[in-house]
Amino acid sequence: MNLNGIPEEDRPNAGSPTGDLTVDQKDLAAIGDEAFKLFNRLWGEARVDSTSTAGSDLNGQGFALGGALTHVSLRWDRQLGSVMDACALISNHMDFTKKAHEGDEIFIERHVSSISTLDGGFDESWAAPGERNPVYGEDKKD
């Protein structure tokens, strides 16, 4: 039994051998940017305005095709709205993820740097016994 791995037959589908997912800010920004571009293209190129009017006109003239055209037009608008919502969600989520991870990085950086300053204060090699440790800055003269 192997508790820290996966069976050999499942390894081709497992991704990286370490199991770590890595992504950088550039990747997240690129995904969000592409989703935003697709949203804008869909808004400009995929919307069909004339079919609902044409469907109503054909229906008014007694053509069965008018009702079908109106039905297809409404379906198209709903489906297009769903795809556009998904693009907006992806774009916004990538922006949020990017900002959240930047905040995490800053927090970790600050936390680690304060630990090294604290460690320096306890390290006797930083200052001779009895002298002021330069890690804490210059003495303020009032």
Side-chain angles (χ1 to χ4, degrees), residues 6-109:
I6 58 175
E8 196 63 44
E9 63 270 11
D10 290 336
R11 289 181 192 245
N13 303 320
S16 73
T18 60
D20 294 333
L21 173 64
T22 58
V23 66
D24 62 21
Q25 301 304 329
K26 195 166 137 182
D27 295 331
L28 295 174
I31 293 168
D33 189 47
E34 289 302 318
F36 183 71
K37 286 178 190 175
L38 180 57
F39 176 89
N40 287 330
R41 282 196 62 205
L42 288 169
W43 178 258
E45 299 173 26
R47 288 181 308 134
V48 182
D49 295 329
S50 60
T51 55
S52 59
T53 305
S56 296
D57 289 345
L58 286 170
N59 203 22
Q61 295 174 28
F63 290 100
L65 178 63
L69 187 57
T70 300
H71 174 77
V72 169
S73 175
L74 290 172
R75 254 330 149 159
W76 179 261
D77 284 343
R78 278 192 216 130
Q79 295 299 323
L80 178 61
S82 294
V83 172
M84 290 176 67
D85 287 347
C87 289
L89 182 67
I90 291 168
S91 178
N92 292 340
H93 185 68
M94 291 300 109
D95 288 343
F96 170 79
T97 302
K98 180 178 156 189
K99 289 176 185 161
H101 286 295
E102 284 174 353
D104 292 343
E105 288 295 322
I106 291 169
F107 173 78
I108 291 168
E109 209 172 271

